[in-house]
Amino acid sequence: MKKVFVEDVLGMGEGSEVELLGWVRSRRVHGGLVFIDLRDSTGVLQVAVKRGVVDDESFERAREVGREAAVKVRGVVRKDPRAPGGVELQCRSLEVVGDSLDEFPIRKGVGVRFLFDHRHLHLRSPKVTAIMRVRARLVESARRWLREQGFTEIHCPTFITAAVEGGATLFKLDYFGKTAYLTQSVQFYQEAAIYSLEKVYSLQPSFRAEMSRTRRHLTEFWHLEAEMAYAELEDLMEVVENLVHAMVRGVHEGCQRELRVLGVELDPSMAEPPYPRIKYSEALQILSNKGVEVSWGDDFGADEERVLSKEFEKPFFVTHYPKEAKAFYHMLDPEDPSVCRNTDLLAPGGYGEIVGGGQRIHDYHQLLKRIEEEGLDPKDYEWYLDLRKYGSVPHSGFGLGIERTIWWLLKLPHIRHAALFPRTPARLYP
RNA sequence: GCCGGCGUAGCUCAGCCUGGUAGAGCAGCGGGCUGUUAACCCGUUGGUCGGUGGUUCAAAUCCACCCGCCGGCGCCA
């Protein structure tokens, strides 16, 4: 097991002798002097290999070693202003653990397409590494906060038989002769679980078979969903804003180095609750004042979202959408049954929808009516309806897109940068 | 699904408008170099110009269709 890391060496005194295991990030040959930038999970260290200081075999190996080869280096720590970072390793011996058999394909100047074709190798780059660390921290922060708030994590199936949203596109597959689909949301299963656990959440992939070619869509994305018994729309929004704040704070506290690598300024105060709450009808008014006319009943398009999001510094909730624009299970507002008690959380700066959710219909007859109104077959929703037959209670839930959130926080040019091996309509490999 | 753009060396691109059988930089390969920082210097290999068909004496270049990719829209997280 490896014990000494680049990070440790940077803190060591002049003259310390160490053995390092890492990868050759780059190599510069100057006749009798070879510089190797040695990379490991904690940083990069310049190794100076001088003819005469090392044995001839080590020197030859250093001269010939390929980029991204794995090497074991023994040497002495030296402070030297000529070295990047002011510290380098004076090499005493070098062994090749695993050489590079071909020229390493990832280089400065290659295009996005090429990078994603070689994503398995691209992952070694500092920026991708930083994004993955931010992602891990973000998810950890969410889990910790939810646990502290009394939520229980549950795990729901990926194979399903019916859609959550009637119209949304599902990936269809053969399940021993039956038709099955890949889940696009675990909401219905969570609604079943609240009758024992009361507050639940899941973190698992969702799938959308949409040919969406935009910088904010993946066909497979990690979905953080939660459902709460006895929670109404207002309770839900409080949970969402505090959760998002906890995630942003977590990244800010735990990822300073990564944010520096990515050149991202992250100010957690921009995610501090409370977030503005506007009703759909108010959003229409704001848009109208800006010269953008949307007729009542239509959902906002990307253009409208962008105009709207420029009006806010923080994420903001848009609530009470017309029922025509939303799925059947949303509870209608008793004061105005033409709108739902739902909410979308939109990120500022044109990043768009991060969270979608709302209060669910908990009355059996009302749910059945809405299913029929939408022209859906109640038989497809039998067990979902069944939940309303035995001790049904008001409840609310939401879904948050992990990659969307990372995309927004890190100001990434495309959501695919937020995933290890992203899946888009055109990307199934590697 | 709709709209737009692109496809030329391993990579990044120029050449296309105005038709005359292909170029640069980087990488690779050979050589040199003891303080580089994407090292540098000298030399050098490398291409069915996405595919098919058409126009033409002649097509990377003009036309049609197809394929692939990229972005926007719709849909959503």
Side-chain angles (χ1 to χ4, degrees), chain A residues 117-151:
Chain A
D117 279 342
H118 298 83
R119 185 70 169 170
H120 51 297
L121 303 175
H122 184 208
L123 297 182
R124 304 184 184 195
S125 75
K127 283 196 176 180
V128 180
T129 306
I131 291 170
M132 296 314 145
R133 287 213 172 96
V134 168
R135 181 179 171 127
R137 180 70 189 203
L138 183 96
V139 166
E140 275 168 32
S141 308
R143 279 203 159 106
R144 188 185 313 122
W145 188 85
L146 286 161
R147 192 173 61 235
E148 285 166 5
Q149 300 301 312
F151 284 80

Side-chain angles (χ1 to χ4, degrees), chain A residues 36-53:
Chain A
I36 286 174
D37 290 345
L38 188 78
R39 173 185 69 74
D40 76 1
S41 61
T42 66
V44 180
L45 179 69
Q46 174 166 287
V47 179
V49 190
K50 289 185 179 174
R51 183 184 277 140
V53 178

Side-chain angles (χ1 to χ4, degrees), chain A residues 52-70:
Chain A
V53 178
V54 297
D55 56 282
D56 290 350
E57 291 77 17
S58 289
F59 183 78
E60 270 316 298
R61 288 193 286 263
R63 239 170 64 85
E64 297 295 327
V65 74
R67 283 178 59 229
E68 286 300 323

